[in-house]
Amino acid sequence: MEEKLEIMPIELNTDAHNHTRGSDGRQTTFRAMLRAYNKGINTIAITDHDSVRGFRNLEKDVYSVMGTIREDKSYDISRILEMLENMHILKGTELITSYNGVIVEVLGYNFDVEKMEQEIANLKTSVREKPYEALYKGFNKIIDEKGLKFDKSVLDEAYEKIKAEGKGGVVGPFYNELIKYEENKELLKYTDENGEEKEADTMKLFINKHLYNKKSPLFVDMSSTRPTFKDTIDAIHRAGGQAFLAHAGRYKDKMPVEEYIDDMIAEGLDGLEVFYPDHTDELRKFLLGKVKEHGIKASGGSDDHHAEKEGIQYQTGRVAVPDIPETRWIHDTCERGKDFLNESVEIGEAIKELRELKEIRRKKAKENNELDKQIKEKQEISR
């Protein structure tokens, strides 16, 4: 019988790929946890881009909530306490790197947070160029080699502005100038998954189908702007963590990822993100097959940013992560108490205080009920 991954039993309702304000997410870590818990998910991973700030932010969030609870005696403690006692937050990050010149991302899990923070800082020192510098040089090379009709002053002005002000970019100006001229648009054509020829008529399509696609004449090699794939994996390992290739399906427009996957695993990957919103049944089966073949692990998640904008429309809990041997590492991490909520001293103290406050308020409520009852009895007698 054909395996139906979406409906296989799930022992832990898990979403191992979420973003917060620790990088480009639109939610606090506390809100990410609350949103997941309200959907019946009890295990999430916070995987901010090149960052572990979300975990310290959570301790600050809980500290703030505790202040409100202490001041407001009517605040219902039960729901917050229940969530903190039952949720698991896997320690994670999503590091941006490159493989064969293509930007890819590697998820790190179960590391020491302080060590990972230092490793991320060290990785940044290995970068040879800023992204806008590589793009500017790459675009100029394309203009010259392809003989494009192009006003280079547009690109020069954008480059000088970002150098001087530290904001802006060169991709938008390049694309907007490129599409002004019909003779350039031949380079924007691509073949979709159905074999139909189309034109990259939005900047998002230009980026996905051309800018980071090694087969495109508009490809720019960004390897100088990111740490190497191997260095990134090694950094996660030095921090005590496990390295997983994130959303392999998102690289299919940029490189033949199925052909590269064995070599990528050989670089030291501990697992692959198999279950992901964009992954087809066929790709999930392929990735899970590779996981089994190499004896590594599988993960899955929604890539939730809590934002409704182009390219980031995934919502927490959207992807089912089945309870299979390849995903059991998630359950084992929680059982061993190695998730962030269990390891955080600050959150442990908050849980202890919440339990004490709940008991104090329970007793106070009981005393008040008894007092109200006595007053009513006296009033009835006096009548």
Side-chain angles (χ1 to χ4, degrees), residues 61-78:
D61 294 341
V62 171
Y63 178 83
S64 178
V65 169
M66 289 300 298
T68 301
I69 289 172
R70 292 186 196 103
E71 293 173 9
D72 185 353
K73 301 296 189 293
S74 66
Y75 198 99
D76 183 7
I77 296 173
S78 299

Side-chain angles (χ1 to χ4, degrees), residues 236-247:
I236 293 169
H237 288 163
R238 282 194 298 272
Q242 300 165 317
F244 288 62
L245 179 66
H247 40 57

Side-chain angles (χ1 to χ4, degrees), residues 71-261:
E71 293 173 9
D72 185 353
K73 301 296 189 293
S74 66
Y75 198 99
D76 183 7
I77 296 173
S78 299
R79 183 66 174 170
I80 299 298
L81 179 57
E82 178 187 285
M83 179 177 67
L84 291 175
E85 288 179 327
N86 291 285
M87 279 291 288
H88 299 280
I89 295 187
L90 301 179
K91 292 169 289 183
T93 188
E94 186 173 19
L95 305 183
I96 304 173
T97 178
S98 67
Y99 186 83
N100 282 355
V102 175
I103 297 297
V104 299
E105 291 169 306
V106 175
L107 291 159
Y109 293 109
N110 294 349
F111 43 72
D112 178 285
V113 173
E114 290 185 3
K115 288 181 181 178
M116 191 72 253
E117 189 170 38
Q118 185 58 55
E119 290 294 342
I120 291 171
N122 292 342
L123 283 172
K124 290 178 180 178
T125 66
S126 70
V127 172
R128 303 189 303 278
E129 280 187 302
K130 291 183 171 60
Y132 71 84
E133 293 172 337
L135 288 164
Y136 176 72
K137 287 197 298 189
F139 288 150
N140 272 294
K141 184 179 178 183
I142 289 169
I143 293 166
D144 294 338
E145 289 184 351
K146 305 299 179 186
L148 299 182
K149 186 170 183 180
F150 201 100
D151 180 0
K152 278 192 174 184
S153 67
V154 172
L155 197 58
D156 293 338
E157 288 171 11
Y159 177 69
E160 293 302 326
K161 180 179 179 182
I162 192 171
K163 268 207 313 182
E165 301 177 10
K167 57 184 180 181
V170 295
V171 176
F174 174 80
Y175 175 73
N176 291 332
E177 182 66 17
L178 183 76
I179 62 174
K180 280 183 181 180
Y181 311 101
E182 284 298 323
E183 49 264 64
N184 294 338
K185 291 186 177 180
E186 184 67 27
L187 295 176
L188 288 170
K189 290 181 180 178
Y190 69 94
T191 304
D192 70 8
E193 58 273 13
N194 299 317
E196 185 179 345
E197 188 174 80
K198 292 185 177 180
E199 181 183 302
D201 56 1
T202 67
M203 194 161 73
K204 181 187 175 185
L205 281 171
F206 163 67
I207 291 170
N208 288 335
K209 303 297 183 182
H210 293 289
L211 181 58
Y212 298 145
N213 179 358
K214 288 202 77 169
K215 296 179 180 179
S216 170
L218 298 173
F219 169 73
V220 175
D221 187 334
M222 298 293 288
S223 57
S224 63
T225 72
R226 299 294 179 187
T228 70
F229 191 70
K230 183 68 166 64
D231 285 349
T232 300
I233 293 170
D234 289 346
I236 293 169
H237 288 163
R238 282 194 298 272
Q242 300 165 317
F244 288 62
L245 179 66
H247 40 57
R250 292 182 66 176
Y251 315 131
K252 291 185 72 173
D253 287 340
K254 306 170 181 65
M255 63 181 183
V257 69
E258 291 97 338
E259 295 176 20
Y260 291 169
I261 202 75

Side-chain angles (χ1 to χ4, degrees), residues 160-383:
E160 293 302 326
K161 180 179 179 182
I162 192 171
K163 268 207 313 182
E165 301 177 10
K167 57 184 180 181
V170 295
V171 176
F174 174 80
Y175 175 73
N176 291 332
E177 182 66 17
L178 183 76
I179 62 174
K180 280 183 181 180
Y181 311 101
E182 284 298 323
E183 49 264 64
N184 294 338
K185 291 186 177 180
E186 184 67 27
L187 295 176
L188 288 170
K189 290 181 180 178
Y190 69 94
T191 304
D192 70 8
E193 58 273 13
N194 299 317
E196 185 179 345
E197 188 174 80
K198 292 185 177 180
E199 181 183 302
D201 56 1
T202 67
M203 194 161 73
K204 181 187 175 185
L205 281 171
F206 163 67
I207 291 170
N208 288 335
K209 303 297 183 182
H210 293 289
L211 181 58
Y212 298 145
N213 179 358
K214 288 202 77 169
K215 296 179 180 179
S216 170
L218 298 173
F219 169 73
V220 175
D221 187 334
M222 298 293 288
S223 57
S224 63
T225 72
R226 299 294 179 187
T228 70
F229 191 70
K230 183 68 166 64
D231 285 349
T232 300
I233 293 170
D234 289 346
I236 293 169
H237 288 163
R238 282 194 298 272
Q242 300 165 317
F244 288 62
L245 179 66
H247 40 57
R250 292 182 66 176
Y251 315 131
K252 291 185 72 173
D253 287 340
K254 306 170 181 65
M255 63 181 183
V257 69
E258 291 97 338
E259 295 176 20
Y260 291 169
I261 202 75
D262 290 315
D263 290 337
M264 296 177 90
I265 291 170
E267 295 277 5
L269 288 173
D270 302 288
L272 304 175
E273 186 174 43
V274 174
F275 309 99
Y276 188 77
D278 287 351
H279 288 180
T280 62
D281 289 343
E282 182 181 9
L283 182 59
R284 286 201 297 272
K285 288 174 185 175
F286 170 80
L287 293 172
L288 190 56
K290 287 297 177 182
V291 164
K292 292 177 178 179
E293 177 186 335
H294 289 273
I296 56 177
K297 300 176 176 67
S299 72
S302 64
D303 206 355
D304 177 58
H305 288 65
H306 195 31
E308 295 291 342
K309 66 178 183 179
E310 189 178 29
I312 308 176
Q313 297 169 342
Y314 312 131
Q315 295 296 316
T316 190
R318 178 176 171 184
V319 177
V321 181
D323 178 27
I324 54 178
E326 292 75 20
T327 62
R328 289 290 298 175
W329 65 274
I330 299 172
H331 180 87
D332 292 342
T333 299
C334 299
E335 274 195 336
R336 290 185 290 112
K338 292 298 183 181
D339 61 292
F340 185 73
L341 284 182
N342 274 293
E343 289 190 345
S344 170
V345 173
E346 288 83 354
I347 292 176
E349 290 174 350
I351 290 172
K352 181 181 177 182
E353 184 179 349
L354 283 171
R355 288 171 179 162
E356 292 171 352
L357 284 172
K358 183 179 178 180
E359 181 61 18
I360 289 169
R361 292 182 187 181
R362 184 194 67 79
K363 289 180 179 178
K364 187 66 176 176
K366 184 177 180 181
E367 290 172 2
N368 289 339
N369 287 337
E370 287 293 330
L371 184 60
D372 288 343
K373 184 179 178 182
Q374 291 173 13
I375 292 171
K376 287 180 181 178
E377 287 175 352
K378 288 180 180 179
Q379 288 175 340
E380 288 176 3
I381 292 171
S382 64
R383 289 174 188 167

